[in-house]
């Protein structure tokens, strides 16, 4: 969006706010400036009113001064931004000084006729200063955000350079050395892109970033085993084809990440999704609503053409060999009915153009309702057809019979059997690809459409890679590395089937009006897969007995995530930092609950322990936000708060220690799993208590605030998590950027300490 806090066209509308961090950093400033500008201009001003105005003006000026100091340091560290950043900082400082001058009205005895301008005598000057301040501060933040983008690009370039070196290595020793470096670079890239993904406001971009990062996560392990196989069997064509496919896919994913963060598309292409039936029906119904309001300028030919485009896409369902006969017949019948209803509507519409047609309005309304009803029934039928097909397909392939047969035939070196199962896998791939296309048509939102496209691409690519890996094993049946390589590609296929199951559930929930199940937290890459010695951690899965034993505590964890979701939904400001962090922790805990059921993306105990560690880190972030919030509370409230936050940090430390503790043996591993789930449950119990308490206090102070903007008015603003930095020395490479600026803008929330 182009931010325009003052509602004026003179604000720099070219500054589009694309990230949550920039937007949230501006909120406290926008809130108080708006309060100053919109104050009630009463004939009599009390001492309390004047003191409040002066405190606000001074606090704004002081916080802007600290903010500008950081901005100027950024300019020194980044010469390419120096001129723009320095000018924006100068404008911000000047505007802050002007606001402080105009709000210096503390004395009642001070005559208003002495010629000195104040907020009361020069309202236009105050508005002008506010516009300049908001424009310049936004400019500084957007420039600082460029540095984050620059860091991501630099990290990508390092990964790409090392990737090219890996592709050319000819000895295993050289590969070990370079892959160790590659692993460290991928971890850095993962953190940068993960933060960026969470920060993006555009849901389509977030979905595209998630898809690209998922590719990189899976391909990192594939690259390791495919490269080792190629080094072990350098003359094997199938091994080379297998390896080349992984490198190519990683390059495309890296390029997609850069396209998202820089908004640069090759050859000027736009970010346009293929047309889906759901989106087509939505647009068609909007046009019908325009007819009702008399706002639609479309011709009858245009309406007919719009419907024909929708019905043409339904042929993806009716032409599919996998659509049942009953669904096909109902779709065709509803398509014919839609054409007839539109013809009737157009006839009534044309009749309504005649001023003498008195009853045309009622007939028009009835025709629109019947056409919309028909389109809704068509949409429901398409949804049922795709959802049933996907569910049946996932159930049919749940045992992975073809993958197991490929592994056996490859291990036995049976080329004839391998050829048979290769054909079966190719058929399965085509079926899954077509199903993904049908799911995209009925997904309902653009982010889910993007996820469907990602699933389609994944099956399209991994299918041939499994075949090439199986061919390599069949040619070298005694090769352990070739067997390991095939296992990795088969696991990626199984993982994508599981992701497709989660996707289907989200689509069904959306269609039925329920809040969709959580997307489980994805991290890139997982620990243990990039160790310097290239020894991968043996994946451990819970057996049926352990799964049963852990199910009860898993269910308790699920109930707590539901409680936390319910409390989060009660917040008026869903974007409040504390509310968002609580929702994030609930999402992570939900993925751990799915693990206790043998579902979700956490496949092994190692995945669970890594998730637990990330969950603990998120708990520490919430603790920092709560500490900042508690500085605004009274002594009694602060004491209650401190007791709960102390519990939170202690439990997070305990979970972190548990997650990092090395264990050996089946029993020890299960005890660690149980302990991790129990600790997570304890942390959620504390968070479920704290969240409504914070919400209650925020509402309380919001009600108590004065009409002008007393110190309590700052209490309603979202808090930014404090950032620990090394000052302005530049020792920390990540010390500058939006995060450090957030830290200084957050000082605006502590007015009573000024």
């Amino acid at each position: 969006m182009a931010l325009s806090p003052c509602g004026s066209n003179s604000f720099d509308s070219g500054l589009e706010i694309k990230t949550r961090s920039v937007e949230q950093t501006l909120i406290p400033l926008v809130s108080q400036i708006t309060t100053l500008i919109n104050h009630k201009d009463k004939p009599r001003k009390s001492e309390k009113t004047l003191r409040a105005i002066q405190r606000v003006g001074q606090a704004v000026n002081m916080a802007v001064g600290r903010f500008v100091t950081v901005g100027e340091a950024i300019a020194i560290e980044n010469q390419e931004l120096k001129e723009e950043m320095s000018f924006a900082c100068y404008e911000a400082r000047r505007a802050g000084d002007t606001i402080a001058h105009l709000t210096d009205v503390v004395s009642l005895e001070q005559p208003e006729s002495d010629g000195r301008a104040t907020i009361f005598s020069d309202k236009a000057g105050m508005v002008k200063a506010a516009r300049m301040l908001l424009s310049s501060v936004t400019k500084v933040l957007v420039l600082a955000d460029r540095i984050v983008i620059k860091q991501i690009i630099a990290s990508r370039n390092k990964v790409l350079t090392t990737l090219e070196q890996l592709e050319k290595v000819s000895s295993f020793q050289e590969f070990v050395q370079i892959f160790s470096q590659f692993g460290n670079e991928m971890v850095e890239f993962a953190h940068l892109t993960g933060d960026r993904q969470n920060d993006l406001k555009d849901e389509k971009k977030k979905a595209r970033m998630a898809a690209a990062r998922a590719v990189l996560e899976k391909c990192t392990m594939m690259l390791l085993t495919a490269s080792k196989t190629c080094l072990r069997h350098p003359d094997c064509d199938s091994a080379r084809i297998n390896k080349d496919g992984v490198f190519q896919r990683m390059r495309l994913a890296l390029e997609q990440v850069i396209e998202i963060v820089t908004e640069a598309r090759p050859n000027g292409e736009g970010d346009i999704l293929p047309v889906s039936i759901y989106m087509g029906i939505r647009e068609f119904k909007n046009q019908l609503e325009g007819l009702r309001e008399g706002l639609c300028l479309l011709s009858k030919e245009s309406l007919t053409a719009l419907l024909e485009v929708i019905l043409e896409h339904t042929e993806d369902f009716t032409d599919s060999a996998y659509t049942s006969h009953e669904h096909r017949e109902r779709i065709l019948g509803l398509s014919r009915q839609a054409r007839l209803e539109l013809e009737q509507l157009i006839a009534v519409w044309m009749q309504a153009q005649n001023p003498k047609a008195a009853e045309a309005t009622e007939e028009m309304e009835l025709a629109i309702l019947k056409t919309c009803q028909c389109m809704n029934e068509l949409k429901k039928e398409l949804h049922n057809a795709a959802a049933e097909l996907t569910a049946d397909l996932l159930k049919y392939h749940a045992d992975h019979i073809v993958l197991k047969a490929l592994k056996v035939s490859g291990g036995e070196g049976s080329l004839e059997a391998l050829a048979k199962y290769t054909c079966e896998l190719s058929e399965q791939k085509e079926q899954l690809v077509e199903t993904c296309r049908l799911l995209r048509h009925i997904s309902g939102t653009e982010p889910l459409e993007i996820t469907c496209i990602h699933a389609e691409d994944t099956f399209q690519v991994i299918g041939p890679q499994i075949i090439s890996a199986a061919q390599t094993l069949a040619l070298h049946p005694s090769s352990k590395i070739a067997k390991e390589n095939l296992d990795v590609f088969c696991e990626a296929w199984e993982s994508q089937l599981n992701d497709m199951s989660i996707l289907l559930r989200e689509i069904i929930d959306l269609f039925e009006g329920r809040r969709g199940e959580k997307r489980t937290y994805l991290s890139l890459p997982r620990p243990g897969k990039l160790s310097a010695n290239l020894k991968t951690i043996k994946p451990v899965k819970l057996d049926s007995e352990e799964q049963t034993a852990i199910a009860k505590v898993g269910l308790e964890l699920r109930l707590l995530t539901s409680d936390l979701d319910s409390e989060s939904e009660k917040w008026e400001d869903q974007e409040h930092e504390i509310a968002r962090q609580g929702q994030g922790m609930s999402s992570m805990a939900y993925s751990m609950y799915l693990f206790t059921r043998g579902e979700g993306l956490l496949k092994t105990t190692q995945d669970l322990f890594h998730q637990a560690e990330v969950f603990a880190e998120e708990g520490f972030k919430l603790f920092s936000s709560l500490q900042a919030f508690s500085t605004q509370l009274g002594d009694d409230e602060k004491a209650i708060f401190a007791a709960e936050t102390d519990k939170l940090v202690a439990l997070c430390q305990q979970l972190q220690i548990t997650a990092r503790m090395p264990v050996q043996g089946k029993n020890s591993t299960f005890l660690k799993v149980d302990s991790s789930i129990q600790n997570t449950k304890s942390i959620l119990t504390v968070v479920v208590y704290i969240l409504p308490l914070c919400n209650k206090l925020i509402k309380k102070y919001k009600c108590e605030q004065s009409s002008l903007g007393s110190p309590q008015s700052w209490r309603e603003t979202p808090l930014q998590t404090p950032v620990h930095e090394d000052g302005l020395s530049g020792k920390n490479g990540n010390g500058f950027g939006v995060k450090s600026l957030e830290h200084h803008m957050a000082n605006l929330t502590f007015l009573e300490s000024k």
Side-chain angles (χ1 to χ4, degrees):
M1 70 173 187
L3 185 73
S4 184
C6 298
S8 167
N9 292 331
S10 64
F11 184 74
D12 186 358
S13 59
L15 297 176
E16 185 181 0
I17 309 301
K18 298 168 184 175
T19 58
R20 294 181 185 275
S21 56
V22 171
E23 185 177 72
Q24 293 298 311
T25 302
L26 285 169
I27 285 176
L29 182 60
V30 173
S31 175
Q32 275 308 308
I33 292 297
T34 303
T35 302
L36 285 174
I37 292 174
N38 295 335
H39 75 89
K40 295 180 180 179
D41 199 5
K42 298 178 181 178
R44 292 176 59 83
K45 293 96 178 174
S46 66
E47 286 282 358
K48 181 180 178 182
T49 298
L50 295 174
R51 281 196 298 271
I53 289 174
Q54 188 181 53
R55 283 204 305 276
V56 171
Q58 289 177 346
V60 168
N61 190 34
M62 291 173 67
V64 168
R66 289 189 290 273
F67 173 86
V68 166
T69 301
V70 177
E72 289 169 342
I74 291 175
I76 294 172
E77 292 291 318
N78 299 270
Q79 289 298 313
E80 71 276 13
L81 299 178
K82 185 174 182 179
E83 185 176 347
E84 285 183 275
M85 183 70 84
S86 297
F87 180 73
C89 289
Y90 168 76
E91 292 284 285
R93 195 186 294 277
R94 190 156 66 93
D97 291 341
T98 302
I99 289 172
H101 176 74
L102 291 173
T103 54
D104 187 16
V105 289
V106 73
S107 175
L108 278 172
E109 287 71 32
Q110 178 182 327
E112 295 190 6
S113 59
D114 64 355
R116 190 174 68 84
T118 69
I119 189 173
F120 302 113
S121 63
D122 189 9
K123 190 73 173 283
M126 185 66 195
V127 171
K128 182 179 178 181
R131 288 175 185 157
M132 181 187 295
L133 179 60
L134 292 172
S135 178
S136 54
V137 167
T138 304
K139 181 73 171 178
V140 172
L141 288 168
V142 171
L143 289 172
D145 192 56
R146 284 192 205 168
I147 297 169
V148 177
I149 295 172
K150 179 182 171 185
Q151 289 175 336
I152 293 174
I153 294 172
S155 179
R156 187 284 305 259
N157 291 341
K158 285 197 295 183
V159 169
L160 207 53
T161 300
T162 311
L163 196 66
E164 291 174 358
Q165 293 174 357
L166 278 174
E167 195 170 18
K168 297 174 182 176
V169 296
S170 56
S171 70
F172 189 78
Q173 185 176 1
E174 185 183 5
F175 176 78
V176 169
Q177 183 179 359
I178 297 175
F179 193 84
S180 177
Q181 177 188 340
F182 176 75
N184 293 330
E185 291 169 353
M186 280 296 292
V187 169
E188 178 192 0
F189 188 70
H191 287 308
L192 290 172
T193 54
D195 289 343
R196 190 68 180 181
Q197 177 184 324
N198 293 330
D199 201 20
L200 288 169
K201 290 173 58 184
D202 189 306
E203 292 299 324
K204 286 197 297 181
K205 290 178 182 175
K206 289 181 79 167
R208 290 182 63 222
M209 181 74 90
R213 295 180 74 244
V215 170
L216 292 171
E217 177 182 18
K218 291 174 182 175
C219 280
T220 300
M221 191 59 188
M222 294 177 190
L223 183 144
L224 170 60
T225 57
S227 297
K228 287 166 65 178
T229 304
C230 211
L231 287 170
R232 178 68 179 84
H233 309 288
D235 298 326
C236 182
D237 289 339
S238 57
R240 179 182 51 77
I241 291 170
N242 185 256
K243 186 190 92 167
D244 290 347
V246 177
F247 276 90
Q248 176 65 11
R249 196 161 182 237
M250 288 200 78
R251 286 195 180 92
L252 290 174
L254 289 167
E255 190 59 36
Q256 183 175 337
V257 169
I258 299 305
E259 286 176 14
I260 295 165
V261 298
T262 62
E263 298 190 321
R265 303 286 290 175
N267 305 319
E269 297 174 7
D271 187 13
I272 302 174
L273 292 173
V275 178
S276 70
I277 294 175
Y278 260 33
M279 296 303 172
I281 291 177
R282 183 182 300 173
E283 174 62 22
F284 181 70
K285 290 170 68 176
N286 287 339
Q287 297 297 341
L288 295 184
E289 290 296 328
L291 287 179
R292 175 183 285 148
E293 302 296 330
L295 302 174
C296 185
L297 301 178
L298 283 177
S299 64
K300 61 180 182 179
E301 290 80 10
S302 299
L303 268 179
T304 304
L306 194 56
L307 177 62
E308 288 304 321
V309 169
I310 295 170
L311 299 183
E312 182 181 341
H313 284 302
T314 63
E315 293 175 6
D316 289 347
F317 288 78
T318 56
D319 292 348
S320 173
Y322 309 113
T323 302
S324 70
H325 176 72
E326 292 77 10
H327 282 304
R328 182 179 293 107
E329 288 301 311
R330 283 197 288 266
I331 292 169
L332 290 172
L334 287 168
S335 298
R336 288 191 294 270
Q337 183 183 342
R339 287 191 178 97
L340 292 173
E341 296 292 355
L342 181 60
E343 287 175 8
Q344 179 64 26
L345 171 58
I346 290 173
V348 175
W349 179 29
M350 299 306 292
Q351 185 182 351
Q353 307 302 311
N354 186 349
K356 296 180 181 179
E359 299 180 0
T361 303
E362 290 185 10
E363 291 183 16
M364 181 84 168
E365 180 66 23
L366 181 60
I368 290 174
L369 288 174
K370 289 176 70 176
T371 307
C372 287
Q373 177 64 26
C374 182
M375 298 307 293
N376 287 338
E377 290 177 7
L378 176 61
K379 183 170 71 171
K380 182 178 180 180
E381 188 60 38
L382 295 170
H383 171 87
N384 290 341
E388 287 178 20
L389 171 62
T390 306
D392 290 344
L393 189 63
L394 291 171
K395 186 177 180 180
Y396 181 74
H397 293 306
D399 293 334
H400 310 296
I401 295 172
V402 177
L403 295 182
K404 292 174 182 176
L406 275 172
K407 292 178 185 178
V408 172
S409 57
E412 293 174 349
S414 175
L415 296 176
E416 184 178 346
L418 183 67
K420 173 189 173 185
Y421 294 117
T422 292
C423 290
E424 290 187 15
L425 183 67
S426 297
E427 290 175 7
Q428 183 179 329
K429 182 206 73 174
E430 292 302 323
Q431 192 175 12
L432 287 166
V433 165
E434 186 166 334
T435 304
C436 289
R437 288 173 186 162
L438 299 184
L439 273 182
R440 181 181 64 78
H441 276 306
I442 60 105
S443 56
T445 67
E446 289 182 323
L448 287 176
E449 280 189 40
I450 290 168
T451 308
C452 290
I453 293 171
H454 166 66
E456 178 186 339
D457 292 342
T458 301
F459 286 124
Q460 198 77 268
V461 172
I462 294 184
Q465 288 182 314
I466 290 175
I467 292 171
S468 61
Q471 289 170 343
T472 303
L473 179 59
L475 293 171
H476 307 279
S478 61
S479 173
K480 291 182 180 179
I481 182 56
K483 181 179 182 302
E484 180 188 0
N485 187 46
L486 178 57
D487 288 340
V488 167
F489 281 95
C490 288
E491 285 175 11
W493 181 274
E494 293 171 14
S495 174
Q496 190 56 53
L497 283 173
N498 189 70
D499 291 350
M500 194 173 175
S501 176
I502 295 171
L503 173 61
L504 174 62
R505 190 160 57 224
E506 288 185 338
I507 291 172
I508 292 173
D509 284 341
L510 180 66
F511 180 80
E512 295 179 353
R514 298 196 305 265
R515 184 182 178 187
E517 294 286 9
K518 300 172 182 299
R519 290 170 182 253
T520 48
Y521 181 88
L522 284 173
S523 58
L524 160 73
R526 291 172 182 158
K529 291 192 174 180
L530 298 175
S531 57
N533 60 7
L534 301 182
K535 291 182 180 178
T536 56
I537 293 176
K538 176 72 174 175
V540 179
K541 296 186 179 182
L542 300 183
D543 59 30
S544 57
E545 185 179 343
E546 291 171 332
Q547 205 88 56
T548 303
I550 205 72
K552 182 177 180 294
V553 68
L555 182 58
E556 293 170 353
L557 188 64
R558 173 70 178 99
L559 294 173
L560 281 170
T561 63
S562 297
D563 291 341
L564 188 51
D565 289 340
S566 298
E567 294 300 336
S568 298
E569 288 172 0
K570 294 176 184 177
W571 284 61
E572 292 178 4
D573 180 9
Q574 289 289 308
E575 294 302 316
H576 195 289
E577 187 72 13
I578 292 174
R580 286 202 296 122
Q581 287 173 331
Q583 290 166 358
M585 293 181 73
S586 176
S587 183
M588 294 182 201
Y590 185 83
S591 69
M592 297 171 77
Y593 153 71
L594 289 179
F595 173 84
T596 66
R597 294 182 55 185
E599 300 175 4
L601 297 180
L602 305 180
K603 302 293 185 186
T604 67
T605 53
Q606 188 63 26
D607 295 337
L608 175 73
F609 300 148
H610 176 50
Q611 180 72 93
E613 193 173 346
V614 174
F615 181 82
E617 290 171 3
E618 197 66 20
F620 288 130
K621 292 179 184 177
L622 177 60
F623 171 73
S624 298
S625 296
L626 293 170
Q627 274 194 317
F629 179 78
S630 68
T631 60
Q632 307 172 67
L633 304 178
D635 292 339
D636 293 341
E637 295 160 340
K638 193 178 293 185
I640 298 172
F641 224 69
E644 294 302 321
T645 53
D646 287 347
K647 283 185 199 174
L648 177 64
V649 75
L651 289 168
C652 288
Q653 287 172 344
Q654 185 178 345
L655 178 59
Q656 192 177 60
I657 292 169
T658 301
R660 292 176 177 176
M661 180 177 62
V663 291
Q664 289 184 342
K666 186 177 175 67
N667 291 336
S668 297
T669 301
F670 177 73
L671 289 174
K672 182 176 176 180
V673 169
D674 183 62
S675 181
S676 298
I677 300 292
Q678 293 282 6
N679 287 341
T680 302
K681 193 181 77 169
S682 300
I683 291 170
L684 275 192
T685 302
V686 175
V687 177
V688 167
Y689 176 81
I690 289 176
L691 233 63
L693 180 61
C694 291
N695 193 22
K696 179 181 176 182
L697 291 171
I698 289 171
K699 287 181 179 178
K700 173 185 173 183
Y701 287 121
K702 191 174 182 180
C703 292
E704 290 177 355
Q705 72 179 33
S706 67
S707 61
L708 175 65
S710 62
Q712 282 82 1
S713 67
W714 293 97
R715 303 179 195 270
E716 68 182 274
T717 59
L719 292 171
Q720 301 298 327
T721 305
V723 176
H724 302 288
E725 52 189 351
D726 297 329
L728 304 179
S729 63
K731 293 178 181 178
N732 183 354
N734 297 324
F736 294 132
V738 174
K739 288 293 183 185
S740 58
L741 292 171
E742 282 180 5
H743 175 64
H744 290 280
M745 286 305 295
N747 289 327
L748 288 169
T749 61
F750 306 128
L751 188 60
E752 58 265 46
S753 65
K754 305 300 178 188

